[in-house]
Amino acid sequence: EDAWRAYAAALADPTAVHGMCEDYRASATIDLEHDRQDLGSRVECPLLVLWGTTNDVWTRFDMRQVWRERAVDVTGQGLPCGHYLADEEPVLTARLLADFFA
């Protein structure tokens, strides 16, 4: 619980968080409630969406379009790898992140 408080405090300070990389695997608890509360909201900050193109699931969706339904400013691209971008395409992932945050 102390770790969660420290994490929440850091996220509450808009000058402390400039970006977050998410490998989102959980959605069975409080996340569902947060999703319901945020359903009518849109992400206002620029959003970079990256996904692996060798993962069959993501080839069925236009990932940028999916996120444009929830965010104002969406860019991104598919990478020639599976789910774990940083492990499978570390150089390309790092370059795209550096370009985005530059």
Side-chain angles (χ1 to χ4, degrees), residues 5-49:
R5 271 188 243 142
Y7 179 72
L11 290 177
D13 179 359
T15 64
V17 177
H18 298 280
M20 181 179 289
C21 296
E22 197 62 55
D23 183 2
Y24 192 68
R25 296 181 188 173
S27 63
T29 59
I30 190 67
D31 303 324
L32 295 174
E33 180 58 31
H34 292 166
D35 288 348
R36 280 190 286 278
Q37 291 173 7
D38 292 339
L39 194 55
S41 301
R42 294 182 79 197
V43 175
E44 298 284 331
C45 66
L47 180 66
L48 175 67
V49 179

Side-chain angles (χ1 to χ4, degrees), residues 61-91:
F61 301 95
D62 179 341
M63 295 309 296
R64 285 176 297 260
Q65 186 57 41
V66 167
W67 278 103
R68 285 182 182 124
E69 295 173 12
R70 300 281 184 250
V72 174
D73 180 6
V74 178
T75 59
Q77 68 182 64
L79 283 74
C81 61
H83 180 75
Y84 299 104
L85 309 181
D87 289 341
E88 298 173 43
E89 280 290 340
V91 173

Side-chain angles (χ1 to χ4, degrees), residues 51-63:
W51 65 95
T53 59
T54 63
N55 180 330
D56 289 338
V57 173
W58 307 124
T59 62
R60 299 177 189 164
F61 301 95
D62 179 341
M63 295 309 296

